[in-house]
Amino acid sequence: MSVGDIELRSPAFGNGDPIPERYTKDGGNDVPPLEWSEVPHGTAELALICDDPDAPGGSFVHWVLTGIPPTRTGLTDDELPATVAVGRNGFGELGWGGPRPPAGGPHRYFFRLYAADQPLGLADGVDAEHVRAAIAGHVIARGTLVGLFAR
């Protein structure tokens, strides 16, 4: 199955650019605003995973959301639809857990938005592994945005 592209962007930072400090764990931990377009017809639900593959212990998950309606074109901190299931991040918390890498070079934060062709039926507290298992074979489009952050 061919997977289409979703244009994923943020008004707060460009693809490959630094994530502003206000969105980091030490700088306020505000949820970064996201916008997208080109969600294909036939999408039942959108899911979002943000992770840092450069973390010392392997990929570290910063954000997991499922149940995003396909009619949505973005997310902000104060505006999660009632259908959204908020997953657990690598800090053991629900919702966004901003960057807090060890001192050193910049880490990459991959925001990935997936369009699924069927409802995933996942609940609050879900982890990224369960989301990846649920969407396997059901992704009809995806978009990626990469932000950088170093301490």
Side-chain angles (χ1 to χ4, degrees):
M1 170 171 74
S2 175
V3 175
D5 292 322
I6 296 173
E7 183 185 340
L8 180 60
R9 61 198 171 279
S10 176
F13 60 93
N15 191 42
D17 290 340
I19 296 172
E21 189 170 347
R22 71 179 276 193
Y23 303 109
T24 69
K25 193 79 164 156
D26 295 332
N29 204 42
D30 291 345
V31 171
L34 297 176
E35 301 170 344
W36 55 83
S37 58
E38 302 177 28
V39 172
H41 178 73
T43 300
E45 167 177 333
L46 298 168
L48 177 77
I49 298 174
C50 175
D51 62 355
D52 168 10
D54 303 318
S59 186
F60 189 92
V61 175
H62 288 270
W63 204 9
V64 177
L65 297 174
T66 65
I68 303 167
T71 54
R72 294 292 299 217
T73 58
L75 291 173
T76 60
D77 188 19
D78 58 350
E79 200 182 316
L80 285 181
T83 60
V84 171
V86 180
R88 196 163 301 283
N89 62 43
F91 296 109
E93 305 162 346
L94 292 178
W96 169 249
R100 186 191 276 168
H107 284 225
R108 298 167 298 153
Y109 297 86
F110 285 78
F111 295 80
R112 293 181 177 96
L113 184 69
Y114 301 95
D117 65 359
Q118 68 176 20
L120 302 178
L122 300 171
D124 285 343
V126 67
D127 63 23
E129 289 305 311
H130 283 97
V131 174
R132 288 183 183 110
I135 64 175
H138 296 285
V139 175
I140 57 175
R142 70 177 151 239
T144 302
L145 170 68
V146 180
L148 305 176
F149 188 75
R151 290 171 79 194

